[in-house]
């Protein structure tokens, strides 16, 4: 049966499944960073580079996959990307040393970039208007289940079987998802809606839209804060406490349900709240969360609690902002949704990866620096939000 004829929920479930491997790869090993650094004989501050080496190709290759999917359809591009991801996981297991861990992470990111790009395009293939906001909210909620469970699982696997067991798990997940998508996934972009416009003119066409550029800026700034928090959380908590990797994994996932709640709010209120109202509410969460992380750094007794509480509020804002800004950005482009989705996902992840590389060059990463950087990211969101032009119809107040 064609996916185009399936219910919205069925499409959401398949979309969440295809992104699951990439989301788990991003957070599975986070609680085990300190232990991995010891076993690989590198400094603990070097482990965030693994995430950077994953995110940079995850962002870059979305710029390729998106336009290709507009021209040739979603299914062949997705299956090719999943195959590349499996290859990267196998490479890490075959040569378990730090340089190959970075290389394998790069290959993994290059593969999962297909799913990262298409998760935005598939919703635009089927929905528009407030339905697009609602179903993007459902996708955001579902996608967060993987990184919600992954750190707990990763911390347990690391304690029981060592860090390589986490990549055996990712290899198995990649193979399983590839099989399911091969058997069940059908094309969502009919041949009549495809276009043969070259890649660069297609990107120029999308970027010419001023509203799209503002939404893109908000998404890049917010995601940079999220990915920085995820990358340094384990290292900061391990320096400030004597917790094990399993205990750190529990603290790490505490902000994630708030992201889930933010995405759920976007789905529930899509038909009654205006886009701008939801975006300002999301921005308030980003600003308040950043401030708590920053201020709690001045009292060692409150540092870890402030890190978790502030991160939770920041994640709540991000969970609300992501589906709303994504929907608003891709809405004007029914024939270029692959290109628009690639720009959104590619720029966000590439920007996040480059941001990690830059912070890796700082003399020291501590909670005070983290709070300041998060506040800067939230401030950028405010700056992009100030212009009032809307790309989606305003259904509510």
């Amino acid at each position: 049966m064609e996916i185009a004829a399936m219910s919205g929920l069925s499409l959401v479930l398949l979309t969440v499944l295809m992104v699951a491997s990439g989301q788990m790869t991003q957070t599975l090993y986070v609680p085990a960073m300190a232990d991995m650094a010891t076993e690989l004989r590198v400094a603990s501050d070097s482990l965030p580079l693994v995430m950077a080496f994953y995110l940079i190709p995850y962002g870059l290759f979305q710029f390729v996959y998106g336009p290709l999917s507009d021209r040739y359809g979603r299914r062949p591009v997705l299956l090719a990307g999943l195959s590349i991801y499996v290859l990267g996981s196998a490479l890490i297991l075959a040569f378990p040393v730090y340089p190959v861990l970075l290389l394998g992470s790069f290959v993994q990111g290059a593969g999962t970039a297909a799913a990262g790009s298409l998760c935005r395009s598939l919703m635009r293939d089927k929905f528009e208007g407030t339905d697009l906001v609602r179903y993007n909210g459902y996708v955001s909620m579902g996608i967060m289940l993987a990184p919600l469970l992954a750190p707990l699982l990763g911390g347990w696997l690391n304690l029981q079987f060592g860090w390589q067991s986490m990549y055996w798990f990712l290899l198995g997940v990649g193979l399983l998802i590839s099989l399911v998508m091969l058997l069940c996934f059908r094309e969502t972009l009919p041949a009549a809606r495809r276009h043969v416009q070259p890649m660069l003119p297609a990107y120029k066409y999308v970027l010419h839209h001023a509203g799209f550029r503002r939404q893109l800026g908000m998404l890049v700034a917010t995601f940079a804060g999220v990915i920085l928090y995820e990358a340094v959380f384990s290292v900061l908590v391990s320096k400030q406490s004597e917790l094990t990797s399993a205990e750190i994994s529990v603290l790490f996932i505490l902000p994630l349900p708030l992201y889930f709640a933010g995405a759920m709010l976007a789905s529930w209120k899509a038909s009654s709240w205006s886009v701008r109202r939801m975006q300002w509410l999301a921005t308030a969460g980003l600003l308040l969360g950043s401030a708590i992380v920053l201020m709690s750094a001045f009292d060692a007794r409150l540092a870890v609690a402030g890190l978790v509480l502030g991160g939770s509020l920041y994640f709540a804002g991000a969970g609300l902002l992501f589906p709303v800004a994504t929907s608003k950005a891709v809405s004007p482009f029914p024939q270029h949704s692959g290109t628009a989705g690639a720009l959104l996902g590619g720029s966000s992840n590439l920007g996040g990866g480059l941001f990690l590389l830059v912070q890796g060059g700082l003399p020291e990463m501590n909670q005070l620096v983290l709070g300041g950087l998060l506040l800067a990211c939230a401030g950028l969101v405010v700056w992009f939000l100030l212009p009032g032009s809307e790309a989606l119809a305003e259904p509510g107040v």
Side-chain angles (χ1 to χ4, degrees):
M1 180 170 57
E2 295 293 329
I3 286 184
M6 296 174 68
S7 68
L9 179 59
S10 299
L11 182 56
V12 166
L13 291 175
L14 281 176
T15 303
V16 169
L17 179 63
M18 78 179 191
V19 183
S21 59
Q23 295 297 311
M24 297 190 78
T25 304
Q26 190 171 304
T27 60
L28 184 72
Y29 64 90
V30 167
M33 279 184 172
D35 293 340
M36 289 175 66
T38 300
E39 293 193 31
L40 293 168
R41 299 179 181 178
V42 297
S44 60
D45 291 341
S46 300
L47 262 295
L49 284 178
V50 176
M51 189 175 291
F53 269 70
Y54 174 80
L55 286 174
I56 289 174
Y58 185 73
L60 279 175
F61 279 84
Q62 289 190 42
F63 295 123
V64 177
Y65 290 128
L68 286 178
S69 73
D70 282 340
R71 175 175 291 194
Y72 300 109
R74 316 301 188 201
R75 189 172 189 272
V77 171
L78 173 62
L79 294 177
L82 287 171
S83 300
I84 294 172
Y85 171 80
V86 169
L87 176 63
S89 301
L91 183 63
I92 293 172
L93 291 169
F95 304 98
V97 294
Y98 182 68
V100 180
L101 175 61
L102 296 179
L103 176 61
S105 297
F106 187 97
V107 176
Q108 285 180 319
T112 55
S117 174
L118 297 184
C119 71
R120 298 166 178 84
S121 307
L122 296 182
M123 293 299 103
R124 185 61 185 89
D125 288 344
K126 188 174 179 66
F127 304 109
E128 59 184 26
T130 57
D131 284 340
L132 181 60
V133 177
R134 182 165 63 254
Y135 280 98
N136 269 329
Y138 294 153
V139 169
S140 293
M141 285 188 280
I143 286 175
M144 282 310 296
L145 291 177
L148 182 65
L149 299 175
L152 289 175
L153 179 60
W156 181 81
L157 286 172
N158 176 62
L159 284 177
Q160 299 297 320
F161 308 107
W163 72 269
Q164 293 178 59
S165 63
M166 296 184 291
Y167 286 91
W168 278 110
F169 174 78
L170 291 175
L171 177 62
V173 167
L175 288 170
L176 178 61
I177 292 176
S178 298
L179 179 61
V180 171
M181 302 310 287
L182 178 65
L183 296 176
C184 301
F185 190 85
R186 297 295 180 268
E187 187 56 62
T188 64
L189 185 66
R193 289 176 52 191
R194 299 175 195 174
H195 69 82
V196 294
Q197 187 177 22
M199 190 177 297
L200 290 180
Y203 278 122
K204 182 178 179 181
Y205 172 78
V206 173
L207 284 171
H208 184 70
H209 195 288
F212 177 88
R213 295 195 300 270
R214 285 196 295 273
Q215 304 309 309
L216 175 62
M218 283 187 275
L219 289 169
V220 171
T222 303
F223 185 77
V226 168
I227 207 62
L228 176 64
Y229 181 91
E230 290 181 343
V232 304
F233 179 87
S234 177
V235 175
L236 292 181
V237 173
S238 64
K239 287 180 178 179
Q240 297 171 166
S241 68
E242 300 296 327
L243 300 176
T244 67
S245 62
E247 292 168 333
I248 292 174
S249 69
V250 174
L251 292 181
F252 178 79
I253 68 169
L254 289 180
L256 298 182
L258 272 293
Y259 180 102
F260 189 92
M264 184 179 296
L265 182 63
S267 295
W268 284 351
K269 297 297 184 179
S271 60
S272 58
W273 285 6
S274 70
V275 168
R276 195 162 181 79
R277 180 179 181 180
M278 288 191 283
Q279 288 184 322
W280 275 116
L281 181 61
T283 304
L286 299 178
L287 289 169
L288 181 57
S290 303
I292 291 176
V293 172
L294 180 64
M295 297 305 296
S296 62
F298 292 99
D299 190 334
R301 297 169 300 177
L302 301 176
V304 174
L307 187 62
V308 174
L309 176 60
S312 298
L313 291 172
Y314 190 96
F315 272 57
L320 177 57
L321 182 67
F322 284 160
V324 175
T326 297
S327 302
K328 186 174 178 180
V330 302
S331 183
F333 307 108
Q335 289 188 306
H336 291 76
S337 60
T339 302
L343 276 168
L344 295 176
S347 299
S348 296
N349 289 280
L350 178 61
L354 293 175
F355 191 52
L356 288 182
L357 288 180
V358 171
Q359 72 83 24
L362 295 176
E364 182 182 4
M365 171 51 69
N366 55 42
Q367 189 164 331
L368 186 63
V369 175
L370 173 63
L373 291 174
L374 289 177
L375 195 59
C377 291
L380 279 174
V381 174
V382 174
W383 186 75
F384 284 116
L385 186 55
L386 285 176
S389 176
E390 300 290 345
L392 285 178
E394 292 291 290
V397 294

